[in-house]
Amino acid sequence: MTQTASVDSDVLKVHGGRPLQGEIHVRGAKNFVSKAMVAALLGSTPSTLHNVPDIRDVKVVSSLLELHGAAVDYDVVSGDLRMDTSDLHPADAFQIAQHAGSSRIPILLCGPLLHRLGAAVIPDLGGCRIGDRPIDFHLEILRKFGAVVEESGDGLHLSAPNGLHGIKHELSYPSVGATEQLLLTAVLADGITTLHGAAVEPEIKDLIDTLQKMGALISVSTDRSITIEGVSELRGYDHVALADRIEVGSWAAGALATGGDIMVRGAQQRSMGMFLNTYRKVGGEFDITAEGIRFYHPGGDLSSITLQTDVHPGFMTDWQQPLVVALTQAKGLSIVHETVYENRFGFTKALGKMGAQVQLYRECLGDIKCRFGQRNFLHSAAISGPTPLTAADITVPDLRGGFSHLLAALTAEGTSTVNGIGIIDRGYENFRTKLAQLGAAID
Ligand code: EPZ
């Protein structure tokens, strides 16, 4: 497949203290593109996905598809990704683990592979270390459809000796991955599947649109219920991926933290409502046009806020980390309550080292009594500001926390050393080039 192989250093020197200013372009959402690529496995004819970013997670899923016999061709310039899954074969757990690296995508391959090949394997899964991230919801769903799950030394082996049949299911928490698991399995299962308590993130809605193009029958109600009538065959699709709202929010937070002005081409208002409301409350300004969204700091003081992360249509957890960097520059005490992941404030340790005043709490500091309140998790934060940040030697903990470290280094006066920067390539396309386009001094 045609891909750029960028060999970049894992350490970035950031000479901070200057505003990010200029124009960048954001392409398709990592958290949709990877799932749409898995959906291609369900089609008997080739699929084409447009607006695909050149990020490591796309390379990982491409190699997982290729490992199972698919032909994948990616044109990095146009962003067109063509997948021919007409001739598939099984792969072993060791190979899957090697290709998956730290990605959690192998769990989502199970439904499609059980339909197409009658077997699937899940190696030990990775993903960002932001909480336990169990897969119990996924396994419960697959078992209910009729999958038999057997544990062995190299992972979990799944088979479907009696086929996969529609189910009635209710999620105890609206998990994004579990909703996708159910969709990707139900579309070709025999009979009707109903899901209550579904996640309804824009990336899931785009996945449903994609599956509909393939021939699936899916109806979504306004009360988090989804009904799927199984069909016997699906064809390939042609689809343009929705914009990456997490990347858009991350650059927007950068404009605020550094006192800058960034035009994000490709950004779409419709998936960012709660972010835009919050941005405005903090004191950030934005102009929405047909080409994208311009985010900027209008001058003067930023305002402190109270904020709770939540499933869609709430303020998404992945926006929390970059925005916290901007909140270190807001006047007064901001309160942030993380209700999606129990352990998503680890990145604030580095901010503290750089001069930020962040205090973590085990209590729920907000009106949502979340699943972590009665347990021993530091999942609420109080941020006092504004505090000038100073340069430091820091190490990236995970994807979004890593981007936040980068933003903190760009905000801080002096030269910071950011180690482990390669993690950011998982989800931020060409971020070094984009930083240079925005006038950042990095080497
Ligand atoms: C997706 O993760 C995204 N990843 C995450 O983005 C995102 O933060 C998350 O959704 C929430 O929006 C991808 O799409 C690849 P969940 P997912 O299942 O599907 C618990 C990023 O940086 N849970 O909605 O894994 C879980 O522990 C990443 O781009 C179970 O308890 O998230 C968490 O507390 C990070 N059992 C909550 O549900 C399960 O079997 C929400 O997780 C599954 C999940």
Side-chain angles (χ1 to χ4, degrees):
M1 59 186 293
T2 45
Q3 280 186 337
T4 49
S6 51
V7 184
D8 288 300
S9 159
D10 212 29
V11 180
L12 202 67
K13 293 267 184 214
V14 179
H15 312 285
R18 56 181 83 187
L20 292 175
Q21 277 169 334
E23 198 171 294
I24 51 163
H25 185 203
V26 166
R27 297 205 276 187
K30 161 177 109 50
N31 291 348
F32 163 72
V33 165
S34 48
K35 324 300 171 56
M37 292 174 73
V38 175
L41 287 172
L42 294 161
S44 52
T45 55
S47 292
T48 305
L49 189 58
H50 308 278
N51 202 28
V52 174
D54 183 19
I55 52 174
R56 200 158 73 244
D57 270 20
V58 167
K59 294 182 177 75
V60 167
V61 186
S62 296
S63 68
L64 285 171
L65 297 188
E66 286 171 334
L67 195 61
H68 289 90
V72 182
D73 188 48
Y74 177 48
D75 182 332
V76 69
V77 178
S78 66
D80 294 343
L81 179 81
R82 191 173 184 279
M83 296 154 284
D84 184 345
T85 59
S86 50
D87 192 14
L88 296 180
H89 57 70
D92 70 47
F94 176 71
Q95 289 175 305
I96 295 173
Q98 261 195 328
H99 284 76
S102 61
S103 166
R104 288 166 57 83
I105 286 292
I107 181 81
L108 287 179
L109 260 57
C110 290
L113 289 177
L114 285 172
H115 283 300
R116 292 292 304 275
L117 300 171
V121 184
I122 310 170
D124 184 30
L125 294 174
C128 285
R129 293 288 160 220
I130 50 184
D132 255 0
R133 306 196 76 190
I135 58 168
D136 51 335
F137 296 166
H138 295 256
L139 294 177
E140 188 190 350
I141 287 169
L142 288 164
R143 283 193 174 105
K144 264 174 111 166
F145 274 107
V148 174
V149 183
E150 284 165 303
E151 210 170 331
S152 83
D154 57 0
L156 301 175
H157 290 251
L158 286 83
S159 58
N162 301 313
L164 298 170
H165 305 276
I167 60 171
K168 281 190 178 22
H169 193 70
E170 173 145 19
L171 282 170
S172 56
Y173 184 81
S175 152
V176 169
T179 301
E180 292 162 342
Q181 179 73 260
L182 182 133
L183 286 166
L184 290 164
T185 309
V187 283
L188 280 180
D190 176 36
I192 295 177
T193 294
T194 51
L195 174 63
H196 296 287
V200 291
E201 269 53 14
E203 292 76 15
I204 291 178
K205 289 191 173 146
D206 216 20
L207 180 63
I208 290 173
D209 289 351
T210 306
L211 291 166
Q212 187 177 49
K213 286 179 177 172
M214 299 176 80
L217 290 168
I218 305 173
S219 9
V220 183
S221 307
T222 49
D223 63 348
R224 294 193 179 275
S225 305
I226 302 181
T227 304
I228 304 115
E229 296 172 52
V231 295
S232 57
E233 197 183 344
L234 294 172
R235 54 185 171 275
Y237 63 80
D238 189 290
H239 191 78
V240 182
L242 85 168
D244 196 315
R245 64 193 172 118
I246 308 177
E247 187 183 352
V248 174
S250 303
W251 290 113
L256 214 49
T258 64
D261 186 334
I262 305 180
M263 172 65 191
V264 185
R265 292 199 171 271
Q268 292 161 335
Q269 176 186 18
R270 80 179 71 101
S271 59
M272 303 216 44
M274 191 54 99
F275 181 86
L276 295 172
N277 287 343
T278 307
Y279 201 74
R280 186 165 271 158
K281 283 185 191 167
V282 178
E285 294 275 2
F286 53 87
D287 299 333
I288 299 166
T289 67
E291 284 76 40
I293 307 179
R294 173 189 164 212
F295 295 93
Y296 58 101
H297 189 312
D301 288 338
L302 296 179
S303 307
S304 53
I305 51 161
T306 57
L307 180 67
Q308 307 197 68
T309 65
D310 204 353
V311 293
H312 189 75
F315 187 93
M316 79 182 308
T317 170
D318 302 278
W319 287 324
Q320 178 261 105
Q321 290 154 303
L323 194 74
V324 162
V325 180
L327 292 179
T328 66
Q329 304 308 304
K331 192 173 178 191
L333 186 69
S334 293
I335 303 288
V336 180
H337 179 204
E338 169 61 57
T339 77
V340 179
Y341 290 112
E342 68 273 29
N343 186 21
R344 214 169 193 183
F345 281 120
F347 75 102
T348 60
K349 200 168 172 197
L351 302 190
K353 194 171 159 184
M354 298 172 87
Q357 298 274 325
V358 183
Q359 179 72 43
L360 302 184
Y361 295 90
R362 291 186 167 77
E363 292 76 14
C364 294
L365 298 185
D367 56 14
I368 301 177
K369 292 294 162 232
C370 80
R371 298 165 293 151
F372 315 129
Q374 300 307 316
R375 297 157 71 193
N376 208 18
F377 299 118
L378 291 165
H379 72 293
S380 294
I383 304 126
S384 328
T387 45
L389 300 184
T390 48
D393 188 332
I394 50 182
T395 299
V396 162
D398 59 68
L399 175 59
R400 308 298 167 194
F403 195 83
S404 307
H405 280 189
L406 202 50
L407 291 186
L410 289 158
T411 308
E413 288 295 336
T415 300
S416 294
T417 304
V418 190
N419 303 285
I421 206 86
I423 294 177
I424 297 175
D425 289 311
R426 272 193 55 208
Y428 291 88
E429 182 178 39
N430 295 333
F431 72 90
R432 298 170 188 79
T433 310
K434 287 178 185 170
L435 285 173
Q437 283 168 353
L438 296 174
I442 50 169
D443 48 50

